[in-house]
Amino acid sequence: MTTTKTEAEQEDPCAEVRRGRGRPQARCDEETRGIIFEAARHEFAGSGYAATSMDGVARRAGVSTKTLYRLIPNKAALFEAMITDRMDRFVSVVRLRACDGKDIEKALREALVVCGELILDDDVIMLQRVILGDNEKFPEIAETFYHKAIRRTERTLANWLQAQHERGLIKIDDPEAAAGMLLGMLVFQPQRAVMFGHAQTPGRDELERRAQTVAALFLRGCAP
């Protein structure tokens, strides 16, 4: 007798594992990776790259080292996969918010808030401190963060701006340069203040105020 998967189970790769057929509930690899990435983010941010070990990440994640090494072969791959996972989730959120409605200022403000929440996240700032501190010994982690996080954030916002340009809502010649300028206005000052210990991470209200001001200034200069 054959069974047919439900539509929900076809969309969810973990559904059959969770169903369990009477056995104790188990996590699928996708869920386990998510737990590992969260543990790794805290380990890297709290201990630094050099001091973080695969054993420590496994303990924090509550998985065996055998499971960890089966899913992720080494620390460098774990660092890259952790950043890529975070950016994948960020890009999906920006894509969902970017193209709804015709209120360009509101849409830009929302996109900037999402970018700001990522860049000014406490753990992201801590990771940047770690990278700067360990850069001479491990230059590859700086390259990973630059290309997987910094440049990808800029390109995501640049693609959003290009889409609005093509719809005739704004007029810009260089979306990537414009994205860099927007992010600089939004986060440069508060990010530096936090990194040098002169301020706390901005709250949601403050970030929304900054995004509103930045969006208004930008749109005055690129009205079609």
Side-chain angles (χ1 to χ4, degrees), residues 3 5 8-10 12-21 23 26 28:
T3 57
K5 290 184 178 180
E9 288 171 336
Q10 291 172 349
D12 183 354
C14 298
E16 190 165 341
V17 176
R18 284 197 295 266
R19 188 169 52 189
R21 297 184 178 276
R23 296 189 298 272
C28 69

Side-chain angles (χ1 to χ4, degrees), residues 14 26-28 30 50-51 55 65 84 90 99 103 119 125-126 145 147 149 158 162 168 177 182 194 196 209:
C14 298
R27 287 193 300 263
C28 69
E30 183 179 352
D55 287 348
T65 53
T84 300
F90 160 70
C99 299
D103 187 341
I119 297 170
I125 290 177
M126 183 64 74
F145 190 84
H147 289 290
Q162 178 65 31
L182 273 167
V194 173
F196 285 93
R209 287 194 295 270

Side-chain angles (χ1 to χ4, degrees), residues 102-122:
K102 296 182 179 180
D103 187 341
I104 181 64
E105 185 168 342
K106 180 175 182 288
L108 176 57
R109 186 168 68 245
E110 290 179 350
L112 289 175
V113 167
V114 174
C115 292
E117 286 180 329
L118 174 73
I119 297 170
L120 296 173
D121 178 79
D122 286 329

Side-chain angles (χ1 to χ4, degrees), residues 160-215:
W160 187 94
L161 293 171
Q162 178 65 31
Q164 311 319 307
H165 170 77
E166 291 171 358
R167 295 170 64 197
L169 297 176
I170 57 176
K171 184 177 180 180
I172 51 175
D173 297 323
D174 188 338
E176 288 215 13
M181 294 174 192
L182 273 167
L183 293 175
M185 285 194 292
L186 179 70
V187 303
F188 183 87
Q189 187 275 331
Q191 183 188 53
R192 294 305 185 272
V194 173
M195 289 189 72
F196 285 93
H198 285 272
Q200 298 294 316
T201 305
R204 173 83 182 198
D205 289 344
E206 182 179 350
L207 182 57
E208 288 181 346
R209 287 194 295 270
R210 289 186 69 88
Q212 182 174 4
T213 301
V214 169

Side-chain angles (χ1 to χ4, degrees), residues 5 12 21 26 32 41 64 80 99 128 141-142 147 151:
K5 290 184 178 180
D12 183 354
R21 297 184 178 276
T32 302
R41 188 164 60 91
S64 68
E80 180 172 349
C99 299
Q128 290 181 77
I141 65 172
H147 289 290
R151 289 292 293 132

Side-chain angles (χ1 to χ4, degrees), residues 10-80:
Q10 291 172 349
E11 293 177 356
D12 183 354
C14 298
E16 190 165 341
V17 176
R18 284 197 295 266
R19 188 169 52 189
R21 297 184 178 276
R23 296 189 298 272
Q25 191 176 53
R27 287 193 300 263
C28 69
D29 286 350
E30 183 179 352
E31 290 176 330
T32 302
R33 283 191 184 92
I35 293 169
I36 289 170
F37 293 149
E38 182 70 11
R41 188 164 60 91
H42 288 292
E43 285 289 310
F44 284 124
S47 303
Y49 185 84
T52 293
S53 68
M54 295 288 275
D55 287 348
V57 172
R59 282 194 299 272
R60 181 183 281 268
V63 302
S64 68
T65 53
K66 181 180 179 180
T67 296
L68 177 55
Y69 279 108
R70 178 176 65 81
L71 296 174
I72 303 164
N74 54 56
K75 185 165 70 171
L78 175 60
F79 187 81
E80 180 172 349

